[in-house]
Amino acid sequence: MVLPLGVGRAPRRRTGLGALTLAAVAVLLPSPATARPAPDAPDGHCARLSQLRVPAAARQQADCLDELTTAGTAATGHTDPADWAGLTPKNLATPTGVPGIQIDGYFPDTSTTNTNHGWNHDAQFVIRLPDRWNGGLVVAGTPGNREQYANDRAIADWVLARGYAYAATDKGNTGPAFYRDGSRPGDAVAEWNTRLTQLTRAARASVAQRYHRPLERTLVTGMSNGGYLVRWQLENHPELYDGGVDWEGTLWRAEGPNLFTFLPAALRDYPTYAAGGPAAGQAREALLRAGFPADSEFLWPYHHEVYWDLTQRVYREEFDPGFDGEKEAGTPYCAPGTVPGCDADYDYATRSSGVHAAVERIALTGRIGKPLITIQALSTCCCLPPGLRRVRAYVRQRPGGRYRYYRIEDGTHTDALVDTFPDRLRPLLPCHRSAFTALESWLTTGHRPPANHTVVRPAGADQASLLAECRLDG
């Protein structure tokens, strides 16, 4: 969800969504020394570069690159490795041989948490247009509260190598203090959805300018908070997409489940479990009842240190800032009953109707308008515990409908943890790729993916084979 960074204090302020205007003038900046200009030939390498204008962008920079994947962009400054650190296995291969155009820029906004390019401006985006195009576009929002390059290694490299154009947004606010953006509870998260819709429309127009032939398919995908955005887009703007793949998306339901229905239990009961003694067994049972899977105890120390406390406090501040009074984002790692407004004492069910209404503004309904595939890890301990019954019932449908839900045995929320526990975990990334290709087949040939089921770990499989393949029909 979020990176373990410090949380400072600043007044909440409204994001610049109200200031968005189609009259904003796109500004083309000079190409840096690492990029080279290209002639405006009708076709070929970087064709029509000087003609590209991203609709509604306040600023843009278009560069002709010999390599659009991280094999090249990490060296030329057209990505930020810090954005995607900790999301993929260390042995993940990087494809090469994808020349084309990269457009960086931002839409009008008043918040300034994203410092990429020295712009200090939110609503930043990246659009990549490969020379060899397959007719499709993939759009993504970022996981956690990261910036626009966070999916580059896990998603962008692979889809670009397959010939897709690619676009991603920072969602309009970044960092662990994202909740400061906006004037009322829920504004910052609501902006995430608006920004992905905005980028999708702009990227579709940019693709038309670049290739001068019809766009055949628009797919939306993302992990964690980015997976939440996939669901929301297919519920609210299905006209923009042909389908989507949700990778461990956070589930927001006003009535639950949501982060506030299981994270406080982790904060209350994990310290007792970790301390051992006669109360440890009871605390473990409480964690299992909250939805955390059995046999995932080896992951609990990491998630307690990195995710549970910070995630509960900053998202609670976004939707329920009055819980801790004038304090901002609570008291880190407080024990139940020790300080006023301790998040270990948080009880979402008893909070005011205004808090529930703030969650309702951004909540998911399950009423998707286009095909959607969800992959979820059975050993996840973060933002979508598989023990929650309503996770499995997110989309209520007739058999053979628009939704597929695959639970991945031995997978967990962050693939980098596979390197730490290679004998106990498997990467989700190959399963995401299998889900993506299954969606492609579903859309192009009508071949429906397998029914919802658990994807078991193949007997005797080592990490190399698990990284190479994930069979959803296995």
Side-chain angles (χ1 to χ4, degrees):
M1 292 294 296
V2 291
L3 296 175
L5 304 176
V7 177
R9 181 169 181 82
R12 295 175 67 92
R13 62 169 177 265
R14 185 171 180 78
T15 185
L17 288 175
L20 288 177
T21 169
L22 292 178
V25 179
V27 179
L28 279 172
L29 300 180
S31 296
T34 52
R36 58 187 181 84
D40 280 326
D43 297 296
H45 185 38
C46 296
R48 303 184 181 91
L49 181 146
S50 67
Q51 302 170 26
L52 298 176
R53 298 293 186 274
V54 179
R59 186 171 189 169
Q60 71 172 68
Q61 173 177 300
D63 292 323
C64 177
L65 302 180
D66 290 330
E67 183 61 69
L68 290 175
T69 74
T70 56
T73 56
T76 63
H78 289 85
T79 187
D80 181 359
D83 269 9
W84 30 269
L87 296 179
T88 55
K90 63 182 179 181
N91 292 328
L92 178 65
T94 303
T96 60
V98 188
I101 296 169
Q102 175 161 320
I103 308 174
D104 292 287
Y106 56 73
F107 298 109
D109 198 354
T110 58
S111 56
T112 60
T113 60
N114 190 339
T115 61
N116 268 320
H117 309 291
W119 288 341
N120 299 318
H121 195 290
D122 291 342
Q124 290 192 37
F125 61 82
V126 59
I127 298 174
R128 297 189 176 106
L129 305 169
D131 291 344
R132 295 180 293 276
W133 183 52
N134 70 3
L137 168 67
V138 174
V139 294
T142 57
N145 303 105
R146 301 183 186 223
E147 297 164 352
Q148 67 269 27
Y149 304 117
N151 295 308
D152 280 5
R153 184 164 158 80
I155 297 174
D157 282 353
W158 186 72
V159 300
L160 286 164
R162 292 170 62 82
Y164 283 93
Y166 172 81
T169 171
D170 68 2
K171 308 196 300 286
N173 42 72
T174 64
F178 73 96
Y179 53 80
R180 296 173 182 165
D181 194 9
S183 61
R184 58 177 178 153
D187 273 359
V189 173
E191 184 180 0
W192 300 353
N193 297 314
T194 303
R195 293 300 184 185
L196 187 54
T197 304
Q198 177 185 45
L199 176 66
T200 300
R201 289 173 172 150
R204 286 165 62 96
S206 299
V207 165
Q209 294 172 27
R210 166 63 180 86
Y211 300 108
H212 280 198
R213 63 184 175 95
L215 179 64
E216 298 173 10
R217 183 177 305 117
T218 304
L219 304 179
V220 58
T221 191
M223 67 174 79
S224 192
N225 281 339
Y228 156 75
L229 297 180
V230 172
R231 300 178 186 209
W232 192 95
Q233 293 295 319
L234 295 185
E235 291 181 11
N236 294 275
H237 289 288
E239 76 282 359
L240 294 177
Y241 308 96
D242 295 281
V245 179
D246 153 32
W247 177 345
E248 278 274 305
T250 310
L251 186 63
W252 286 103
R253 302 295 292 267
E255 72 281 10
N258 58 52
L259 297 179
F260 306 133
T261 63
F262 55 83
L263 284 181
L267 302 186
R268 286 193 300 270
D269 296 304
Y270 175 76
T272 302
Y273 166 78
Q282 185 176 355
R284 176 182 177 274
E285 291 302 316
L287 286 161
L288 298 182
R289 288 195 301 272
F292 298 103
D295 301 323
S296 68
E297 291 90 342
F298 70 100
L299 294 170
W300 293 357
Y302 172 84
H303 286 82
H304 178 256
E305 179 181 354
V306 175
Y307 283 103
W308 292 340
D309 179 76
L310 181 59
T311 299
Q312 164 65 24
R313 289 187 293 104
V314 299
Y315 283 86
R316 192 269 307 150
E317 186 71 18
E318 164 69 356
F319 291 99
D320 192 359
F323 174 72
D324 56 357
E326 293 299 313
K327 189 180 298 183
E328 183 178 346
T331 302
Y333 296 102
C334 57
T338 57
V339 296
C342 176
D343 278 276
D345 293 318
Y346 193 75
D347 183 359
Y348 176 73
T350 64
R351 298 304 294 162
S352 72
S353 60
V355 174
H356 288 248
V359 175
E360 180 68 36
R361 288 177 57 207
I362 57 88
L364 299 167
T365 66
R367 295 188 291 272
I368 57 172
K370 291 292 173 63
L372 170 63
I373 298 176
T374 289
I375 60 167
Q376 183 191 12
L378 276 181
S379 294
T380 193
C381 297
C382 181
C383 311
L384 194 69
L388 296 173
R389 178 179 56 82
R390 289 191 182 178
V391 170
R392 297 190 292 275
Y394 161 66
V395 174
R396 298 184 182 277
Q397 60 170 353
R398 298 185 302 276
R402 290 190 177 117
Y403 187 54
R404 292 293 186 274
Y405 174 63
Y406 302 122
R407 307 204 307 169
I408 313 301
E409 185 180 48
D410 290 344
T412 194
H413 195 68
T414 304
D415 264 4
L417 285 174
V418 173
D419 297 326
T420 305
F421 302 102
D423 297 329
R424 307 187 72 171
L425 296 175
R426 68 180 296 175
L428 281 188
L429 184 143
C431 300
H432 173 264
R433 293 178 176 179
S434 294
F436 192 96
T437 55
L439 178 65
E440 289 177 318
S441 179
W442 194 356
L443 296 174
T444 57
T445 70
H447 177 72
R448 292 180 177 273
N452 301 347
H453 68 282
T454 296
V455 178
V456 300
R457 179 174 183 150
D462 59 15
Q463 281 301 325
S465 61
L466 291 172
L467 187 57
E469 182 181 43
C470 175
R471 294 182 56 88
L472 295 183
D473 58 355

